Amino acid sequence: MDNIAGTKSSLSWAVQISTVLLVALWLFPTVGLFVSSFRTADQISGSGWWKSLFPSEQTEQYRAADPDENRVADGDVFVVRGNIFAEAGEDASGKAISTWGTSSRAVSAYEAGAVAEMKGGETITVSGSGDYEWRGDEDQMSGRGQRVFVTVTSPPEFTLENYELVLFSGNATDGMAKAFFNTLTVTIPATIIPIVIAAFAAYALAWMDFPGRALLVAFVVGLLVVPLQLALIPLLKLHLGIGIGKGYLGVWLAHTGFGLPLAIYLLRNYMVGLPRDIIENARVDGATDFQIFTKIILPLSFPALASFAIFQFLWTWNDLLVAKVFLIDATGQTTVMTNQIVELLGTRGGNWEILATAAFVSIAVPLMVFFAMQKYLVRGLLAGSVK
Amino acid sequence: MHPAFQGILTIVIGVSGCLAYFYFSNQFLDKVLYPAKGPNAGRNINRANMIRPWLFLFPAMAALTVYLAYPVLETLRLSLTDRDQGGAFVWLDNYTQMFAEPKFWEAMRNNMLWLIVVPAMSTAFGLLAAQLTDRIKWGNIAKSLIFMPMAISFVGAAVIWKLVYDARPPGAEQIGILNAVYVWFTGNDPQQWLTVPFWNNFFLMVVLIWIQTGFAMVILSAALRGIPEETIEAAIVDGANPFQIFFKIKVPQIMSTIMVVWTTITLVVLKVFDIVFAMTNGQWETQVLANYMYDKLFRSLDWGVGSASAIIIMLLVTPILVWNVRNARKEMR
């Protein structure tokens, strides 16, 4: 299609631009969360995250230093000098004041560097960098510091405070550290155990001849689509009945059970495609099925094993329902990250700095796995659905 | 014991237990039960080979039966009983009670909307993305960026999109991009998008479409690559324009793959729970079946009606189940 005369250049431009737009549209929401997780609460509620990437202009109120302590005599008047950002404990570097004022009714009455005359000869001047000089007589230079309203352009500013709070503070409601380890504890056994069980079954279904094999394959394919919602109550009853109760063992078993159909299906499809010669030669040489399986089939099936491992990892890491039903009890000690985030949505609905950071902490691991092992994920998807 | 150690211990016990089971059961079969020596060696080998598949299959089949097959039947039974009457058999009472609830019909209506909109939009966007990225140099990067939401949990996606839909009071600076754009273009007051009945369903669907488009794109892109070049070349020679080539040559050839993508996304839609649970929890007329069921099972503790709604989900899935099993059986022959 690239070489249709006359249509190439305009169409290929259209394709490039549409692709850029589509990718931008798909990426935009995630980037928003990512950027927000590096902003303070005030920044997030003050402006949209997309503005945080550029210098922002805001009007804010500051106060000059306490005159009783800082004034210095200069002839018959007193002077207080300083930097208004420094007085408020802020970093002045990169900030630029365009206009300022001394009353909330006229916040941009003066240009930077201009001198404001107030009642009784009291004056104050604020420069573009925030340095000020405030002078007046003894009565005027006492009490509280002079209020100054400035319109200031600040450079983009980001912070790691949110991550500190969410990961290391140990705060029970906002902290994600414990939930992170709980999620990990759920995920790893729930990923590995089904692989072992399914691999043996897949081998039997692919390379062993026995009556009822077709029926069993159909059984597995059928179970592939059974909604796990149906399994919740009966299995919870079963777990409570045999004494497993709510806990890690229960959630491991449940994830194993729910992951098996896909595992068996993917692995069987892959193993069926392995060359028949190798297996038959091994048989002729006197290898047992167990040896063929462990020495030939398993190493050759690595791509399929990796595909399923990624699926199962993503699915168990991201799962909310199974954890809520089989794991999380009234004490909340075993909460997982997805559940923690849902609870934050309830208690911290407006605190985007905490929500965004918590969500990003839970998303980060799957994203890393995704980008590192995308090849196997795609391969697994193709093997799992296209016939 | 710390759960992390418990986890490691479980992996070790689980994996080595599985391996030990497979190894020793095979040993037992070959050495003790039917040894391949002595007067009956030939017969023993045959017998051992008849039993061996079942040794390989037993753990998986047992787990499947207990964790998936048995619950389906048990849920069916529970849906016909009443927990408050000590599990007495009440036939279809749970169903009639459920059908009388407006919330159930709201969930049904919404689920039908989801079933139409989400697979259609995901497949359409997936097809578009697959076609667009097919021949450009940075196509693979574009693909993996569109595919990325697949790795994000529904709950994470819910947070991401809640930020997009966020609304501040009129006059204040909008921090949700949707309201920022809306206010900027129309000058109207910002909207609480998730509380606008009926339309809020679509705002929830967007989240799932965003996630599933990548899946559709990956599968369809592979299918597009599989189309024989000759058919396209022939069309070009006959003077077809790019749009005709796409709709009349390419799409018909990958129709079966489109169907597979469509049904797979349909299955995801029927089970969708987390998105609604995290974003609106079924308020403002956004209830869906899976969340309705969760409400009944774990909030109202009404197992009868909860199981009945689970059975409704199962019934909706059944046509796809039958279709899949049929296809699988066709391939086996």
Side-chain angles (χ1 to χ4, degrees):
Chain A
M1 205 164 74
D2 282 337
N3 40 20
I4 309 170
T7 60
K8 187 188 165 189
S9 60
S10 66
L11 194 68
S12 103
W13 270 109
V15 166
Q16 298 269 3
I17 292 168
S18 333
T19 316
V20 170
L21 284 178
L22 198 66
V23 170
L25 196 64
W26 247 251
L27 215 51
F28 198 76
T30 319
V31 174
L33 189 81
F34 183 64
V35 171
S36 296
S37 73
F38 291 103
R39 305 179 74 204
T40 63
D42 288 346
Q43 286 174 324
I44 292 179
S45 55
S47 62
W49 64 266
W50 52 93
K51 290 183 184 160
S52 74
L53 304 173
F54 310 101
S56 63
E57 197 181 69
Q58 266 173 318
T59 303
E60 277 173 69
Q61 179 193 327
Y62 290 93
R63 207 175 262 283
D66 185 348
D68 294 322
E69 288 171 18
N70 295 293
R71 66 184 186 183
V72 266
D74 179 15
D76 52 350
V77 297
F78 289 94
V79 186
V80 175
R81 291 195 185 86
N83 185 290
I84 51 165
F85 298 121
E87 311 296 3
E90 290 175 16
D91 181 15
S93 65
K95 291 187 177 175
I97 294 172
S98 51
T99 58
W100 59 281
T102 53
S103 135
S104 60
R105 272 163 298 167
V107 291
S108 15
Y110 308 100
E111 295 290 313
V115 180
E117 307 248 351
M118 289 173 290
K119 268 178 267 167
E122 184 185 355
T123 61
I124 183 165
T125 172
V126 179
S127 78
S129 63
D131 293 331
Y132 66 89
E133 188 178 292
W134 174 30
R135 30 176 89 234
D137 62 29
E138 187 162 12
D139 284 347
Q140 289 161 338
M141 300 302 285
S142 69
R144 300 187 69 190
Q146 171 65 38
R147 277 193 306 169
V148 179
F149 297 87
V150 298
T151 303
V152 58
T153 309
S154 321
E157 204 184 331
F158 299 102
T159 170
L160 287 170
E161 270 170 37
N162 301 329
Y163 284 91
E164 237 171 79
L165 173 70
V166 162
L167 285 177
F168 304 115
S169 72
N171 183 321
T173 45
D174 299 338
M176 292 291 279
K178 194 169 74 182
F180 186 93
F181 284 109
N182 289 347
T183 301
L184 209 59
T185 312
V186 170
T187 306
I188 295 176
T191 305
I192 295 177
I193 293 173
I195 295 183
V196 181
I197 297 177
F200 281 93
Y203 173 71
L205 290 175
W207 286 105
M208 292 169 129
D209 233 349
F210 59 94
R213 187 171 75 161
L215 212 62
L216 280 184
V217 174
F219 178 65
V220 171
V221 172
L223 291 183
L224 209 51
V225 303
V226 169
L228 68 88
Q229 272 93 351
L230 272 88
L232 301 180
I233 284 293
L235 286 182
L236 191 61
K237 268 173 63 180
L238 182 78
H239 280 180
L240 294 174
I242 59 175
I244 296 175
K246 279 188 161 198
Y248 286 110
L249 188 58
V251 81
W252 289 327
L253 287 173
H255 274 311
T256 303
F258 300 150
L260 271 180
L262 182 67
I264 298 175
Y265 181 69
L266 272 183
L267 294 176
R268 190 201 87 94
N269 277 357
Y270 189 84
M271 288 177 186
V272 161
L274 294 175
R276 181 172 280 276
D277 297 352
I278 305 180
I279 292 151
E280 277 175 0
N281 283 344
R283 281 228 172 95
V284 170
D285 290 345
T288 64
D289 274 309
F290 192 78
Q291 286 168 328
I292 293 176
F293 174 72
T294 49
K295 302 236 166 85
I296 300 174
I297 301 280
L298 266 193
L300 284 180
S301 305
F302 177 77
L305 295 174
S307 302
F308 173 73
I310 296 168
F311 275 122
Q312 183 75 356
F313 175 82
L314 291 179
W315 152 244
T316 48
W317 186 280
N318 290 340
D319 158 77
L320 171 68
L321 186 56
V322 176
K324 262 186 116 60
V325 174
F326 293 105
L327 174 65
I328 299 163
D329 51 21
T331 65
Q333 287 300 306
T334 49
T335 186
V336 292
M337 280 196 286
T338 45
N339 187 59
Q340 186 81 352
I341 292 171
V342 171
E343 275 173 14
L344 283 177
L345 274 173
T347 57
R348 297 282 188 177
N351 295 42
W352 279 110
E353 75 286 359
I354 293 174
L355 266 178
T357 315
F360 206 80
V361 166
S362 93
I363 292 171
V365 175
L367 280 187
M368 280 188 285
V369 171
F370 172 82
F371 282 114
M373 319 230 354
Q374 200 180 6
K375 186 174 77 181
Y376 294 109
L377 186 66
V378 169
R379 221 182 266 181
L381 276 183
L382 293 176
S385 40
V386 178
K387 292 282 92 225
Chain B
M1 187 166 37
H2 194 277
F5 293 119
Q6 205 189 336
I8 295 170
L9 204 67
T10 309
I11 298 177
V12 173
I13 293 177
V15 172
S16 58
C18 284
L19 292 177
Y21 158 80
F22 288 115
Y23 183 75
F24 288 115
S25 63
N26 272 282
Q27 288 289 315
F28 178 75
L29 189 65
D30 290 331
K31 297 277 151 66
V32 183
L33 204 56
Y34 296 116
K37 55 188 175 220
N40 297 327
R43 207 188 66 193
N44 278 355
I45 289 176
N46 281 341
R47 283 198 179 159
N49 283 342
M50 271 172 63
I51 294 178
R52 199 181 326 277
W54 300 102
L55 290 184
F56 275 66
L57 283 167
F58 172 73
M61 289 305 150
L64 285 180
T65 311
V66 174
Y67 276 86
L68 285 166
Y70 151 76
V72 173
L73 299 177
E74 175 68 6
T75 302
L76 188 61
R77 192 186 70 80
L78 283 174
S79 77
L80 302 174
T81 60
D82 188 346
R83 198 186 180 193
D84 292 336
Q85 301 174 30
F89 219 61
V90 293
W91 290 107
L92 296 175
D93 280 9
N94 290 321
Y95 290 88
T96 42
Q97 189 195 335
M98 182 171 71
F99 291 151
E101 271 185 48
K103 208 64 185 161
F104 168 77
W105 290 109
E106 180 197 312
M108 274 301 261
R109 183 204 68 181
N110 290 342
N111 249 99
M112 291 303 140
L113 273 179
W114 280 75
L115 278 180
I116 297 165
V117 175
V118 176
M121 296 302 281
S122 305
T123 313
F125 275 117
L127 196 55
L128 178 71
Q131 172 66 21
L132 285 178
T133 54
D134 199 22
R135 310 256 162 147
I136 58 179
K137 270 187 201 142
W138 54 289
N140 280 335
I141 300 170
K143 265 190 217 161
S144 70
L145 291 177
I146 294 177
F147 192 30
M148 184 190 71
M150 273 293 278
I152 295 175
S153 60
F154 288 153
V155 174
V159 177
I160 290 177
W161 284 88
K162 267 203 142 173
L163 181 58
V164 171
Y165 298 147
D166 192 87
R168 298 273 139 160
E173 181 110 13
Q174 293 302 319
I175 65 167
I177 183 72
L178 189 62
N179 267 318
V181 171
Y182 178 76
V183 169
W184 195 71
F185 270 108
T186 65
N188 293 348
D189 281 350
Q191 299 284 317
Q192 294 277 358
W193 299 107
L194 292 176
T195 63
V196 185
F198 188 69
W199 298 108
N200 51 9
N201 283 302
F202 293 92
F203 291 113
L204 294 181
M205 288 179 212
V206 165
V207 182
L208 193 58
I209 295 170
W210 179 71
I211 293 175
Q212 291 294 326
T213 294
F215 162 76
M217 176 198 66
V218 165
I219 308 268
L220 293 172
S221 157
L224 282 178
R225 296 248 161 111
I227 294 176
E229 280 291 315
E230 304 87 68
T231 58
I232 296 164
E233 276 161 21
I236 293 171
V237 170
D238 288 347
N241 69 37
F243 292 98
Q244 286 173 323
I245 292 173
F246 182 68
F247 286 109
K248 297 202 169 146
I249 309 291
K250 287 184 170 179
V251 170
Q253 293 196 67
I254 58 168
M255 212 52 202
S256 67
T257 312
I258 293 179
M259 283 308 293
V260 170
V261 170
W262 193 290
T263 50
T264 311
I265 298 176
T266 302
L267 286 173
V268 178
V269 170
L270 279 170
K271 300 177 199 170
V272 67
F273 158 78
D274 314 34
I275 294 177
V276 176
F277 183 76
M279 290 184 85
T280 63
N281 200 5
Q283 289 170 287
W284 308 296
E285 297 176 27
T286 54
Q287 191 64 291
V288 292
L289 280 174
N291 195 50
Y292 174 82
M293 190 208 76
Y294 185 86
D295 260 358
K296 286 289 167 196
L297 286 183
F298 298 103
R299 291 221 182 86
S300 330
L301 297 175
D302 186 344
W303 290 6
V305 174
S307 301
S309 53
I311 292 294
I312 299 285
I313 300 178
M314 184 68 210
L315 285 179
L316 291 172
V317 169
T318 306
I320 300 175
L321 187 150
V322 172
W323 191 66
N324 277 1
V325 169
R326 267 195 174 170
N327 281 355
R329 301 215 60 158
K330 242 187 269 167
E331 273 157 42
M332 287 286 285
R333 283 190 201 114

